[in-house]
Every structure is written in structure tokens, then in C-alpha cells.
Amino acid sequence: MGDARSGVRAAGEGADRVLGTSACGAPYAGGAGDRSALFGRRERLMAEAVRGGPKLPGRLREVSRLLSRRFGRPGACGHEIDPIRNLVLTILSQNTTDANRDRAYDHLVKRYPTLPELAAARPSELEEAIRTGGLAKAKAKSILGALARIKEEGGGYSLDFLRGMPLPRARAYLTSLPGVGVKTANILLLFSFGLPAFPVDTHILRVTKRLGLVPAAATLAKAALSLEPHVATGDHVPLHLNLIRLGREVCRPRNPLCAVCPLLSVCPEGARNTKGKVCRP
Ligand code: SF4
């Protein structure tokens, strides 16, 4: 998330701002309305349904400590990533690699240097521009649909009206946009708004299931909403980034490297996998 690039130029209220630069805070001025309250209620119910036990905060703290000891404590880059740029990038990143996402974003910015140009793009031409990122038809539809909604409801291509809004309400608004699920919303909330959201991707879901931190049947959204309130203050960014790194390098989908995993001492699956094979710390 820290590979900030400048690109599409914002219009309307933010016309003089190039995406990728730090966005200044603006007080919440409404906009999501009563509908977001409904989404907030649904989200609360989901979180309650999957809420972890009382030991979860302590276990998450220990996991974070062990990961930081191995990988350090990575943080978000020095400045916040512009929310609209982050939204476009995160939609492009769905079901593809970082390299393909970046290629698709580069093509998009070359073809549509400003947000009004992007918002006015023909769907078929936008699809062509982002084809390298995969799922081009669905992603083009999501990007155009989200930009249209944001312009219609906020009066410009800006999400600054979310600043100052409580996290559940801001998430409810974002997840009401086309193509934006809890994971995408949480990435924006954490990296663009500095809120204590906890995005869960497929790596984090796999690792936290193996650790027994979320139920085996948990979805990405349920895992995110159940873990989020139990992550210690200040741990959301490093724990998110370190769990992804662990999932890529150690706790791989097949043949996890349990014997050299920094979490072996706290992992039930690791204990089963290494029974009689390694001296556990
Ligand atoms: S001990 Fe094994 S299963 Fe557990 S987190 Fe580490 S690699 Fe994954």
C-alpha cells in the first residue's frame, strides 16, 4: 500500500489537487444520510454474530509482537494516500497481482489523466485500458459507477466528506458504492483516512483461520469485522501488513513453512503440522 504514485487529477472541489498527494482534513458535512445508518446497523449485527472471545485481544497482541520481532513494524507511507486514487487502485487490485494492478493503473492514467475524463470514459474503452488487471468489464463498471455516485452525492470527485465521520458510518457509505466490499472500504479507511479499520485479504484470512483467531467458515468480511475491534491501538497497519507478508512468505496456501514460522508457538495448526518434527520454542 505504500507505493504511492501520482496520477489522475481531481476535479470540482478538488480540481487543483493531484491524486496521490496528502489530502487535507475537512469536517464531515453529511451526505450519506439515513441509508448509511441502515448499513451501519447491518454491519453491527454482522460483527456481533462473529465476535471473538475475551482472549482475542491478548492473542492478537502476541501475534503482532511476534510478527514485529521477525519482520519489523511497517507503517503506512508518510502521507495518506488520496482516497479517490486509493479507491481506483483498490478496485483494480481485486483478484490480481500488485504488478498487474499497477500496469492497469498506469494505462488508465495515461488514457484518462483527469477524473472528469475518467468518469466520462466509454465503458468499452476503459475496459481496454485496464485489461492487464483482469476482470476488466466488472472493474470498469465499478469505477465508473462509484465515480458517478460520488459526484452525484458529494458534488465533486472527492471523499473528503467522510473525514470526521465515525468509522462504521464511513464504511457503510463506502460499501454502498458499486464494486466496494468491506475489504476495499477498510483499505481506504485505514490507509487514506487513518481510521482503525482492519482489511482482511485472502492471505490474512488463511493465516487467521490456521491460528484459530476466526472460525473456519468465516468470510473476508466477517473476519475483518470480528478482528477489527480487538486489534490494539496502533497495531492495525503493522499487523495487516505483517500478516500479508507471513501469508506470502511462510504460511503459504500449500505446504506452510511451520517449522520456521514466527507464530509456531501460538498456532494450533502449526503444532499439528510439526508434531514430533521440531523442538517448539
Ligand atoms: S505455524 Fe504454520 S500454520 Fe501456523 S501461522 Fe505459521 S506457517 Fe501458518
Side-chain angles (χ1 to χ4, degrees), residues 205 209 214-220 222:
L205 185 65
K209 281 183 180 179
V214 298
T219 60
L220 292 175
K222 283 186 177 176

Side-chain angles (χ1 to χ4, degrees), residues 207 210-211 246 250-252 256-259 261-265 267-271 273:
V207 174
R210 287 174 173 172
L211 287 165
L246 185 88
V250 182
C251 192
R252 305 174 307 196
L257 305 173
C258 299
C261 178
L263 301 184
L264 178 58
S265 62
C267 180
E269 180 148 340
N273 291 346

Side-chain angles (χ1 to χ4, degrees), residues 35-47:
R35 188 182 49 227
S36 66
L38 285 177
F39 282 105
R41 182 168 171 273
R42 186 187 67 179
E43 190 175 65
R44 268 200 312 281
L45 290 173
M46 280 174 71

Side-chain angles (χ1 to χ4, degrees), residues 228-241:
E228 180 178 285
H230 302 293
V231 176
T233 304
D235 263 359
H236 291 75
V237 169
L239 183 60
H240 167 80
L241 295 174

Side-chain angles (χ1 to χ4, degrees), residues 6-272:
S6 293
V8 184
R9 187 178 290 277
E13 186 178 282
D16 56 345
R17 183 156 54 80
V18 175
L19 296 181
T21 59
S22 176
C24 61
Y28 168 53
D34 290 337
R35 188 182 49 227
S36 66
L38 285 177
F39 282 105
R41 182 168 171 273
R42 186 187 67 179
E43 190 175 65
R44 268 200 312 281
L45 290 173
M46 280 174 71
E48 281 166 13
V50 294
R51 188 162 289 148
K55 291 182 179 168
L56 194 51
R59 292 197 66 203
L60 284 167
R61 253 198 315 276
E62 180 62 1
V63 165
S64 186
R65 188 185 70 79
L66 292 168
L67 288 174
S68 296
R69 205 167 63 175
R70 171 70 64 89
F71 298 135
R73 274 182 77 79
C77 56
H79 60 266
E80 292 174 353
I81 303 170
D82 179 273
I84 297 277
R85 172 187 167 277
N86 202 358
L87 175 65
V88 172
L89 262 175
T90 308
I91 289 174
L92 289 177
S93 75
Q94 292 165 358
N95 294 94
T96 194
T97 62
D98 289 356
N100 284 339
R101 172 205 63 193
D102 289 345
R103 265 196 291 274
Y105 186 75
D106 287 346
H107 292 157
L108 178 149
V109 170
K110 216 177 211 171
R111 179 76 178 78
Y112 308 104
T114 69
L115 279 174
E117 286 171 289
L118 175 58
R122 284 174 187 273
S124 58
E125 289 175 5
L126 178 55
E127 281 172 37
E128 198 47 48
I130 62 174
R131 191 158 301 287
T132 49
L135 300 175
K137 196 178 180 77
K139 289 178 183 177
K141 195 174 170 193
S142 296
I143 290 168
L144 294 175
L147 289 177
R149 274 274 311 281
I150 291 166
K151 174 80 162 40
E152 185 187 320
E153 294 174 359
Y157 297 111
S158 170
L159 286 169
D160 282 349
F161 65 88
L162 295 179
R163 293 184 190 281
M165 200 186 276
L167 189 156
R169 199 167 176 199
R171 178 160 49 217
Y173 175 78
L174 289 172
T175 54
S176 75
L177 295 173
V180 178
V182 169
K183 184 181 87 171
T184 298
N186 281 358
I187 289 171
L188 263 71
L189 294 167
L190 182 63
F191 291 100
S192 291
F193 293 98
L195 290 170
F198 193 68
V200 170
D201 73 346
T202 52
H203 293 296
I204 296 179
L205 185 65
R206 179 177 66 256
V207 174
T208 52
K209 281 183 180 179
R210 287 174 173 172
L211 287 165
L213 297 173
V214 298
T219 60
L220 292 175
K222 283 186 177 176
L225 296 173
S226 68
L227 292 171
E228 180 178 285
H230 302 293
V231 176
T233 304
D235 263 359
H236 291 75
V237 169
L239 183 60
H240 167 80
L241 295 174
N242 278 341
L243 281 170
I244 291 176
R245 182 168 175 186
L246 185 88
R248 284 179 172 156
E249 298 178 6
V250 182
C251 192
R252 305 174 307 196
R254 290 184 184 185
N255 303 320
L257 305 173
C258 299
V260 295
C261 178
L263 301 184
L264 178 58
S265 62
V266 295
C267 180
E269 180 148 340
R272 284 192 292 275

